[in-house]
Amino acid sequence: MRPDTADPEPTGPPHPAPRPRRSRLRRLPPIHPRLPWPRTLRARATAAAVLTMVLALAVGGGWLYLTLRDNVLDNAADRTELAARQTVAALMTGTDKLPSDLPEPDDGVDAVLVLDADGHALASTAPDPATRAARLADFRPDPGEDSAVRELSESEAAASHRSVVAVVRAPSPQGERGDRYVYALTMLNAESDASRALAVTLLVGGPLVVVLTGLISWGVTGSALRPVEAIRRELAAVTADRLSRRVPAPGGKDEITRLARTVNDTLERLERSVTLQRQFVADASHELRNPIAAVRAELELALLRQDPEETVASLRQALASTVRLERIAADLLLLARLDTQQAPKAQQTSATPLVDLSLLTAEEIARRRSARVTLRLEADDSVSVRGDSGQLERLLANLLDNAQRFADSEVRVTARTDPASGTAVLEVADDGPGIPPEAAEKVFDRFARLEEDRNRDRGGTGLGLAIAREIAQAHGGSLRVAPSPRGALLVLRLPAARM
């Protein structure tokens, strides 16, 4: 016997096991490919009109076919049963012996057949009645009924078309067993012709109607959307330096006309806003340049002068210009905050703090007792509004500064509540040169000054009244120039606080 030998052990490194191959899955095309859908509104409207017309023709054609068929069948059934009953009446009044050939029936009935109780043909209007008798023998009225009507196929009726068959039971003459049955048959060739004519009309006229509907919808939609395309082109041409362009507004009062007018109003507001912003930047640059140039000039003179007193005077002038520059910067910052204020304070809530205009005015006047003009206050006990006390204090300070700057001897302040309008009214009047009627709105522009009396020699930054109106509008109120026999009269109205 040979000894068993073991398998030799591998001396090298083991071979890694082969990795199973991953089969690559191929993405199969979708079973139901996505139908292309029109992208333009004009094409979508046309497609919707065409689909609606196709659906209407299909539903209308089906309803018309069923209605026509029912009417033809009902009419044929009535005529056929009437012919059978007329034959029964003739048999009842005639002789007992039937002729083999009956007279031709009227009203479009094609054949009349008389069978006995066993189904044998007794008389007929058509030749070879045996074949038809064999087909119709099993069709009898139900028990308790004397007649029945049924629609039969060509083979069942032994006719060239589908037919309506009416059967009427007739009593047999004396001496005969069982009843007689009178059959009347009307072929539905007229119904077939009408159905064929309707089908031809729908198949030929339907596509023409669908095409005509598509063309009309395409033309009408294009005509309606043409102004929209013109508006789009004009809007695409509007740029920062071409804000004066306006979109064409078609005549009429439809939605597109209202859209064009709204777009033009928006462009007008945008142009006005950009114009005011550019003017504001130009005015601000001009106003800031003057005090900066004055500070530089005074500092240069202070360096050149040897006299300490003259140096001190130059530094004082430079300090005054710096103070003026600081005021302009503060006013610009406040205007920027008011412009960017997102939530207007016109919609006050019970959580908004109460501010007493009478008390606020009295405190502001008390701080100005050393003014060069007399300040007089006439106020109700309490004139309450809701708002930011700091901004309202700034508004009142700007009005008093403006009045004191141009008053000759006196400034009168009146604070009251107007129950009729539900507003708090604050009036500031001075006895100065006044404001011309044509400048009643101009004085509220930023950096606006009147040519004669309201100049830089009076002081101010030219932003006081602009800031005052912005604060009033932010609180849901208004500030305007009212007619006055002497001097200027500024009237502030704010919503009165509801307790």
Side-chain angles (χ1 to χ4, degrees):
M1 297 180 59
R2 296 181 58 186
D4 296 335
T5 58
D7 295 336
E9 296 183 358
T11 57
H15 296 284
R19 296 181 180 179
R21 294 183 180 180
R22 296 181 180 179
S23 60
R24 295 183 180 181
L25 298 179
R26 298 180 61 186
R27 181 173 295 178
L28 298 177
I31 300 177
H32 301 286
R34 182 178 298 177
L35 297 177
W37 183 250
R39 296 184 179 181
T40 63
L41 181 60
R42 185 180 187 182
R44 288 198 295 268
T46 303
V50 169
L51 292 178
T52 302
M53 181 55 65
V54 170
L55 182 62
L57 288 176
V59 175
W63 174 83
L64 184 60
Y65 172 76
L66 294 177
T67 302
L68 177 63
R69 182 176 181 274
D70 291 340
N71 290 336
V72 171
L73 289 177
D74 292 341
N75 188 18
D78 293 340
R79 290 187 290 107
T80 304
E81 184 176 0
L82 179 60
R85 289 188 181 277
Q86 288 176 349
T87 303
V88 170
L91 293 177
M92 296 294 294
T93 59
T95 61
D96 293 339
K97 186 177 181 179
L98 288 175
S100 60
D101 295 330
L102 295 176
E104 292 293 332
D106 299 328
D107 296 332
V109 178
D110 295 297
V112 174
L113 177 66
V114 181
L115 302 182
D116 60 9
D118 296 329
H120 299 111
L122 300 178
S124 174
T125 59
D128 191 15
T131 302
R132 184 167 290 167
R135 304 281 181 89
L136 299 177
D138 295 334
F139 177 38
R140 301 287 174 88
D142 294 332
E145 301 289 338
D146 67 338
S147 65
V149 179
R150 180 184 298 177
E151 181 184 357
L152 302 178
S153 63
E154 295 89 339
S155 59
E156 292 174 338
S160 59
H161 294 83
R162 289 185 304 109
S163 304
V164 173
V165 178
V167 57
V168 177
R169 182 184 290 112
S172 298
Q174 295 180 357
E176 291 188 8
R177 181 179 58 83
D179 295 329
R180 295 177 178 179
Y181 295 93
V182 178
Y183 293 85
L185 181 145
T186 301
M187 290 186 292
L188 296 177
N189 50 356
E191 186 267 344
S192 300
D193 295 340
S195 301
R196 188 179 301 106
L198 178 61
V200 172
T201 302
L202 291 177
L203 292 177
V204 175
L208 295 179
V209 173
V210 170
V211 172
L212 183 61
T213 301
L215 293 177
I216 294 176
S217 177
W218 182 266
V220 172
T221 308
S223 177
L225 295 179
R226 193 173 297 113
V228 178
E229 179 62 21
I231 293 174
R232 187 199 65 79
R233 287 196 301 267
E234 282 297 324
L235 281 178
V238 174
T239 58
D241 54 347
R242 301 173 67 184
L243 292 176
S244 60
R245 298 180 68 97
R246 296 294 182 268
V247 300
K253 298 181 180 180
D254 57 2
E255 292 80 359
I256 297 179
T257 301
R258 293 198 296 270
L259 172 64
R261 292 174 180 172
T262 302
V263 171
N264 285 335
D265 292 341
T266 303
L267 290 176
E268 185 176 355
R269 291 193 299 269
L270 179 62
E271 181 184 13
R272 188 184 308 114
S273 176
V274 172
T275 302
L276 291 177
Q277 183 180 10
R278 291 173 178 173
Q279 184 66 32
F280 176 71
V281 172
D283 293 339
S285 301
H286 179 73
E287 293 292 334
L288 291 175
R289 184 180 59 184
N290 290 336
I292 292 175
V295 170
R296 178 178 179 179
E298 294 296 337
L299 293 178
E300 289 177 350
L301 289 176
L303 292 176
L304 295 177
R305 291 172 179 173
Q306 300 295 329
D307 189 356
E309 295 182 359
E310 294 180 353
T311 302
V312 172
S314 298
L315 292 177
R316 287 176 179 174
Q317 291 292 333
L319 179 61
S321 299
T322 304
V323 172
R324 174 177 169 77
L325 183 62
E326 182 182 6
R327 290 178 180 174
I328 293 176
D331 290 346
L332 292 176
L333 179 60
L334 179 57
L335 279 174
R337 290 175 178 174
L338 292 174
D339 288 341
T340 56
Q341 187 172 347
Q342 296 181 354
K345 298 184 178 180
Q347 303 165 351
Q348 304 294 345
T349 63
S350 58
T352 307
L354 282 173
V355 179
D356 190 348
L357 285 183
S358 298
L359 180 60
L360 194 66
T361 305
E363 293 176 351
E364 185 65 27
I365 290 179
R367 289 193 291 266
R368 298 170 181 258
R369 288 300 181 185
S370 60
R372 67 175 183 85
V373 296
T374 304
L375 298 175
R376 300 185 183 277
L377 173 63
E378 297 178 5
D380 296 343
D381 293 338
S382 178
V383 181
S384 299
V385 297
R386 293 188 181 274
D388 190 329
S389 60
Q391 291 188 5
L392 293 177
E393 183 179 356
R394 178 60 185 274
L395 186 156
L396 179 59
N398 287 2
L399 294 181
L400 292 178
D401 288 342
N402 180 79
Q404 286 182 293
R405 188 176 300 118
F406 300 104
D408 292 337
S409 60
E410 184 182 44
V411 174
R412 299 181 307 280
V413 182
T414 303
R416 57 185 175 84
T417 302
D418 185 6
S421 60
T423 57
V425 183
L426 180 69
E427 298 178 350
V428 179
D430 63 66
D431 58 354
I435 300 175
E438 62 273 10
E441 288 297 321
K442 182 181 177 181
V443 293
F444 295 105
D445 294 340
R446 300 175 182 184
F447 297 110
R449 291 186 178 87
L450 301 186
E451 296 296 333
E452 297 179 356
D453 295 309
R454 299 176 181 266
N455 49 41
R456 289 187 179 85
D457 295 336
R458 301 273 188 168
T461 63
L463 297 173
L465 293 183
I467 293 176
R469 172 170 276 190
E470 291 286 344
I471 295 176
Q473 293 177 350
H475 285 74
S478 62
L479 179 62
R480 64 183 182 87
V481 177
S484 177
R486 182 185 177 188
L489 174 60
L490 298 176
V491 180
L492 168 68
R493 288 184 177 270
L494 297 175
R498 297 180 180 179
M499 301 300 182

